[in-house]
Amino acid sequence: MKILRIIPSMNPKQGGPCQGIRNSVPELERLGIENEVVCLDNPTEDYLGQDPFVINAIGESITPWGYNRNLIPWLMSNFNRFDAIIVHGLWLYHGHAAIKAILAFRKTNSTSPKVYAMPHGMLDPYFQKAKERRFKALRNELYWKLIEKRLVNQVDGVLFTCEEELLLARTTFGNYKPKREINVGYGIQPPPVYKVAMRKAFAQTVPQWNGKPYFIFLSRIHQKKGVDLLIKAYIKVEKELGSLPQLIIAGPGLENDYGKEMQALASASQNIMFPGMLSGDAKWGAFYESEAFVLPSHQENFGIAVVEALACAKPVLISDKVNIWREIVNENGGLVKNDTENETYQILKQWVLLGEDKQSEMANAAQGVYKNYFTIGQAALQFKNGINL
């Protein structure tokens, strides 16, 4: 069995979907499912050639829509090599190209691969309701009517990472009529075992670290992630209680306007640090040396970093807009509140006032959440069964 993944980019800085592919491929290979990727990347990019599976980089797109004239011809020439096609993400040319190509291919071929779309949270109603997204919401509404509903309703099935994502997708657009809705789950590879080199790498990357456990935010510095809520809440709790673990906000985006605003906002505290994007030993050191992971996101389809924290036995302090929040609450692997400034303040204060014994219990439970729900082995098997391979 062989799967083709269609995705705009395999750049690790793009986050979730490409990392999800990298997490799942080795386990799927063990189940006898070979994977290949086609993406709209420049083939000379240094992040290519590092993976144990084939990535066909057919050149950068030339428009914000992601148009690339090479994609449809490449698909038409290669469809017959695959049993299934997965389109990762929505709202860009690669999805339009995929459904256009497969319908044309089926006109002249008696057999063809099944085609699935995997939205990765992009059908979440948040994107149509957020005040700062009014223009984009209008654009998406028009795009849905003209183009995207064709993809979603004509593929053989739509794949979701969790039940919450599946249910939310039904509430966003009219004429949403997919042939099948399939919860294929999601998971991550086990984290590397802790080693002293991780602590050293992290310490070198964040020289302001005082050597004590801290709160770690590890994601893009973006408005959707609620970074402003976190900083304001942290400063308020710090003033109220006098002493708090340091707050380390790690991730790409510091050079953007929002990133600069967040750094200015955080200047009211000497205990908030922005080391930028972390990788390798420094990233895992950031998880292992922390006290708790925090993410007051306004929308999070799955949250790979959330699960990575759980796998490292770190409790997660998250909003209920992270779609896996129910599993975390059910297993006592963290604290969950709404995505407001006041409730972010409450979650930080509640954590501090729990005391060491309760915090330790929650840390043990956190790793249990990972083992019970989000191992890559469980996710790969659920994926295989979901698309009937």
Side-chain angles (χ1 to χ4, degrees):
M1 295 292 181
K2 192 170 185 178
I3 295 175
L4 174 67
R5 316 295 192 114
I6 308 175
I7 189 170
S9 176
M10 286 298 287
N11 187 341
K13 291 184 178 180
Q14 297 297 321
C18 67
Q19 185 58 45
I21 291 173
R22 289 185 167 99
N23 285 339
S24 65
V25 164
E27 196 65 30
L28 288 170
E29 297 277 353
R30 281 189 276 273
L31 294 176
I33 301 173
E34 189 178 349
N35 290 259
E36 197 168 312
V37 171
V38 61
C39 61
L40 309 182
D41 285 326
N42 186 324
T44 63
E45 294 288 356
D46 58 8
Y47 52 80
L48 297 175
Q50 309 297 317
D51 297 287
F53 53 91
V54 174
I55 297 178
N56 302 281
I58 61 172
E60 291 181 292
S61 58
I62 60 173
T63 70
W65 185 36
Y67 173 76
N68 187 312
R69 66 181 181 179
N70 298 323
L71 182 55
I72 288 180
W74 190 96
L75 293 173
M76 294 292 287
S77 298
N78 287 275
F79 274 142
N80 57 8
R81 297 195 293 113
F82 299 96
D83 300 289
I85 312 295
I86 314 293
V87 180
H88 289 270
L90 302 177
W91 309 118
L92 292 171
Y93 173 73
H94 73 295
H96 170 69
I99 194 65
K100 184 176 180 179
I102 196 64
L103 292 177
F105 184 84
R106 287 173 177 172
K107 288 180 180 179
T108 56
N109 292 270
S110 58
T111 61
S112 70
K114 292 182 178 180
V115 180
Y116 300 92
M118 194 164 187
H120 293 280
M122 295 180 187
L123 289 176
D124 195 296
Y126 160 81
F127 295 108
Q128 296 304 106
K129 295 178 180 179
K131 293 179 180 179
E132 68 275 8
R133 290 184 51 86
R134 288 175 182 170
F135 173 76
K136 291 181 178 179
L138 181 62
R139 177 202 63 189
N140 284 358
E141 189 71 40
L142 181 62
Y143 192 87
W144 170 261
K145 291 177 180 178
L146 295 177
I147 297 176
E148 203 68 300
K149 72 176 181 181
R150 184 184 186 213
L151 171 68
V152 170
N153 292 343
Q154 293 193 28
V155 293
D156 296 288
V158 182
L159 310 181
F160 298 97
T161 60
C162 60
E163 192 69 16
E164 183 79 358
E165 182 197 3
L166 186 156
L167 296 174
L168 287 171
R170 296 174 178 174
T171 69
T172 307
F173 294 104
N175 294 313
Y176 170 78
K177 300 175 181 178
K179 294 178 182 178
R180 290 179 67 202
E181 297 170 299
I182 310 165
N183 175 10
V184 295
Y186 222 46
I188 66 165
Q189 296 285 354
V193 175
Y194 175 79
K195 55 185 179 181
V196 176
M198 294 174 179
R199 178 183 175 92
K200 291 180 178 178
F202 176 72
Q204 289 174 354
T205 307
V206 190
Q208 308 97 319
W209 176 40
N210 62 13
K212 300 177 181 179
Y214 44 82
F215 294 120
I216 181 68
F217 169 102
L218 206 158
S219 190
R220 286 184 299 132
I221 313 302
H222 188 278
Q223 190 169 11
K224 189 191 81 165
K225 304 291 184 175
V227 185
D228 53 324
L229 306 181
L230 176 57
I231 293 172
K232 291 174 183 177
Y234 180 89
I235 291 172
K236 184 176 179 180
V237 177
E238 186 179 38
K239 288 180 179 178
E240 188 173 319
L241 299 183
S243 177
L244 275 185
Q246 290 178 309
L247 170 60
I248 296 173
I249 299 175
L254 293 176
E255 71 286 354
N256 299 329
D257 289 343
Y258 183 75
K260 292 175 182 176
E261 289 175 17
M262 293 306 97
Q263 292 172 81
L265 182 63
S267 63
S269 171
Q270 295 182 347
N271 287 315
I272 303 176
M273 282 143 279
F274 295 85
M277 184 175 177
L278 301 178
S279 60
D281 280 353
K283 169 190 165 180
W284 293 111
F287 280 121
Y288 278 119
E289 298 296 337
S290 69
E291 184 171 296
F293 177 90
V294 286
L295 182 64
S297 185
H298 297 299
Q299 189 279 329
E300 205 71 36
N301 178 51
F302 179 79
I304 287 177
V306 177
V307 179
E308 287 175 333
L310 293 169
C312 293
K314 299 301 173 180
V316 296
L317 316 181
I318 61 172
S319 75
D320 60 2
K321 303 306 183 293
V322 178
N323 282 348
I324 58 172
W325 67 269
R326 285 187 174 87
E327 290 88 341
I328 291 163
V329 168
N330 289 344
E331 301 286 333
N332 194 37
L335 302 176
V336 177
K337 297 285 186 181
N338 207 341
D339 58 328
T340 66
E341 182 182 336
N342 181 54
E343 296 212 15
T344 306
Y345 154 78
Q346 290 180 25
I347 204 171
L348 290 179
K349 187 175 180 180
Q350 181 180 348
W351 169 260
V352 173
L353 297 180
L354 275 180
E356 290 186 9
D357 289 345
K358 293 291 185 182
Q359 290 175 352
S360 180
E361 288 178 15
M362 195 169 284
N364 291 332
Q367 195 167 57
V369 179
Y370 165 67
K371 291 179 178 179
N372 292 338
Y373 294 99
F374 302 124
T375 66
I376 196 64
Q378 291 167 311
L381 188 59
Q382 191 171 339
F383 182 94
K384 178 179 184 291
N385 293 337
I387 63 174
N388 299 318
L389 285 181

